[in-house]
Amino acid sequence: MELKLQKADHEYYETLRFAPFPCETMRENIVPDSCGDIARIVDTTGSVCLTGRELTADGRFCASGTVEASVLYIPEKEEGLRSLHFEIPFQCYGEGQGDASCENLDIRGELRGIDTRVLNPRKVLTRANLVLYPTLCRHVSLSVCTGVAEDAGEGVQLLREEKQTRVSAGVREKEFSFSEELPLSPGRGGAEEILSTRVDVRGTDSKLIGSKLVVKGFLSVSVLYRESGGRLGTLQQELPFSQILEGGGFDEDCESEAAYRLISLDCHVGSESAPDDACTMTLSVSLCTRVTVWKRLDIGFIADLYSTAAGVTCQMEELELGEDSQQNVRRQNVRELLETGTAVRSVIDTEISCGGARLEGGEWKIPVWARCLYLDENETLGSARREFSVSIPDEMEGGELDCQGEAFCRGDVIANITPEGIELRFPVECEVSTTRRRRYLCVSGGETEDECQERGPVPSLILRKMGEGESLWAIAKQYRATREGILSVNELADESQITPDKLLLIPRAR
């Protein structure tokens, strides 16, 4: 006869991270009539603006957007650095990695490399290589047995366990715009042309307050520009921002974390009230914030059961839970040499970018791209680039762990001129999230034997010791007794008082 069990239902989401997929895009661009012919390409920079993402019906990932490119060049018969600004559109697919039943697709774009070559003095070809990181959320409906129904019969004994797991309660997204006027240093001349603009978004706080999600962060802005006299200047500034998202449906004790994606970027000379003001720049950025809300779930389940009145056959299933979730930061100070092949007089601009972190042999392997714009001893502009890998040790405990790492360069970049080139010193931080995956067997159903079925001869008196690694539950189940009954007849308060040499009297089940 089927044993009637009570069940508890749990609803949550699990995050699925898929293997990154590459994307290459390119564009030919004509030099405007107002600009001179190109004599030499100095450098190319770019930012990924991801505007579209889609999970197709056949389960593929689709990402689209633009690379905002800036080509720095020296014109013929003119002095000073000039820049071409244009968008390189892209649309690419990740084959066969998705699940059409999932939701909340997120794709993060990373620029792995960008370069430009001259086709003729009036035309250039720019090629950009991207890596795209897809993430999905899948809804989970978990039903576990927690007890027996009132009419299940007498004598049913339950071994209950309770575990805590950290799961996603949901995701909220919001697109927003940010605009700020940036005054130039009073001691310098006004800006005649903006050569390149870089923006790094850093979240600092994410909280659930009542029915609202409040996120805060900084925009780290770096602008390279040319003054009217031809001198190059840089403007670096951190701009705070905050946003409020709807957080209805979440408990206030939930945790949250925010990630940001760049949608569009524009920086131009002048302000809204004074478009010709060369001592002011206006930065306009569109961002999307994605807030993941986490909750702690206490999941109780039946690990085993039996009956003192009848035999029971149990159906078991495996329950996998993520436990011991932790977040920490690993930090490494890096020193790297960029060889220039010529003596360097001064460093104008530096850029450090980090790629996706992966755990390999107890170390986080992080690809890093370094770039320097400099003047050599002949006052000639040059650019030095290098790609290398940074290793950050991480001592992981044994067992099955889900590990995710995201790397950043947050801190001052120090550039020292050496006879060989430019030595860069900078910190790399890897934000690490770990979750231990544990599996438990739990009862999913059961059937009881007919109570009139013969049990066979039963000894009138049972005396035995507890074996090494044996539990009182196992002994009670073997003889269809109860743990409470065994403790009572042996005048013990709890199981911890049982010593290896203790002879236990096992009461017979009636």
Side-chain angles (χ1 to χ4, degrees), residues 57-68:
D58 58 354
R60 294 189 300 165
F61 301 115
C62 177
S64 59
T66 61
V67 176
E68 303 292 323

Side-chain angles (χ1 to χ4, degrees), residues 359-374:
L359 188 62
E360 193 175 287
E363 291 184 326
W364 288 100
K365 303 291 186 180
I366 302 166
V368 177
W369 296 269
R371 180 186 68 89
C372 279
L373 187 66
Y374 63 89

Side-chain angles (χ1 to χ4, degrees), residues 36-343:
D37 291 352
I38 295 177
R40 178 172 63 92
I41 299 291
V42 176
D43 202 0
T44 306
T45 62
S47 299
V48 179
C49 295
L50 203 147
T51 56
R53 47 205 169 127
E54 180 185 0
L55 188 64
T56 62
D58 58 354
R60 294 189 300 165
F61 301 115
C62 177
S64 59
T66 61
V67 176
E68 303 292 323
S70 297
V71 179
L72 306 181
Y73 71 98
I74 302 294
E76 291 183 354
K77 300 178 183 179
E78 295 182 30
E79 293 184 359
L81 191 64
R82 299 292 189 272
S83 181
L84 296 176
H85 303 286
F86 49 88
E87 296 178 349
I88 309 176
F90 68 86
Q91 184 176 36
C92 55
Y93 294 86
E95 296 289 342
Q97 302 181 86
D99 183 346
S101 65
C102 294
E103 55 188 273
N104 290 318
L105 171 64
D106 184 47
I107 299 179
R108 181 174 63 86
E110 175 184 289
L111 186 63
R112 278 288 175 95
I114 185 168
D115 64 86
T116 302
R117 65 185 179 94
V118 178
L119 300 178
N120 62 55
R122 306 296 300 176
K123 182 186 287 188
V124 297
L125 173 65
T126 301
R127 186 191 311 268
N129 291 295
L130 295 78
V131 177
L132 300 159
Y133 297 84
T135 303
L136 283 168
C137 286
R138 181 167 61 195
H139 183 259
V140 177
S141 295
L142 177 65
S143 182
V144 291
C145 296
T146 58
V148 295
E150 293 182 358
D151 58 348
E154 296 181 356
V156 176
Q157 305 296 306
L158 302 178
L159 179 63
R160 291 188 177 93
E161 291 191 19
E162 186 170 289
K163 305 295 179 180
Q164 187 178 83
T165 183
R166 183 176 184 260
V167 297
S168 173
V171 174
R172 297 288 186 269
E173 285 194 358
K174 180 183 178 181
E175 294 185 6
F176 65 96
S177 298
F178 182 93
S179 184
E180 186 78 14
E181 294 183 1
L182 309 174
L184 298 181
S185 174
R188 299 187 66 94
E192 185 174 73
E193 181 184 5
I194 292 178
L195 301 173
S196 67
T197 304
R198 300 194 307 272
V199 170
D200 177 48
V201 188
R202 176 166 57 94
T204 57
D205 197 13
S206 178
K207 288 183 180 180
L208 184 64
I209 303 176
S211 62
K212 303 295 181 183
L213 281 165
V214 180
V215 297
K216 298 179 181 180
F218 285 93
L219 285 175
S220 296
V221 183
S222 180
V223 182
L224 176 67
Y225 63 94
R226 179 174 51 82
E227 298 178 0
S228 55
R231 186 171 62 166
L232 299 180
T234 57
L235 172 67
Q236 295 181 332
Q237 197 167 340
E238 283 202 335
L239 308 174
F241 68 85
S242 62
Q243 284 292 308
I244 298 176
L245 293 77
E246 288 298 323
F250 299 128
D251 296 331
E252 284 200 27
D253 59 350
C254 288
E255 305 168 356
S256 63
E257 57 186 29
Y260 298 89
R261 174 170 51 87
L262 185 63
I263 298 175
S264 67
L265 168 64
D266 176 70
C267 188
H268 61 268
V269 178
S271 63
E272 184 177 355
S273 59
D276 298 327
D277 181 7
C279 292
T280 302
M281 299 178 186
T282 300
L283 175 74
S284 298
V285 176
S286 292
L287 300 168
C288 177
T289 179
R290 176 185 175 93
V291 182
T292 304
V293 180
W294 301 92
K295 65 180 179 180
R296 303 280 177 174
L297 268 183
D298 293 321
I299 297 182
F301 58 91
I302 303 174
D304 196 8
L305 66 80
Y306 67 93
S307 173
T308 60
V312 176
T313 302
C314 291
Q315 290 88 49
M316 308 295 290
E317 65 180 9
E318 192 174 72
L319 175 65
E320 182 177 302
L321 300 177
E323 302 176 14
D324 304 329
S325 296
Q326 297 181 13
Q327 291 78 41
N328 50 65
V329 176
R330 304 285 189 259
R331 183 183 176 93
Q332 182 82 12
N333 291 319
V334 180
R335 178 187 296 181
E336 201 69 29
L337 177 67
L338 274 62
E339 296 181 351
T340 57
T342 182

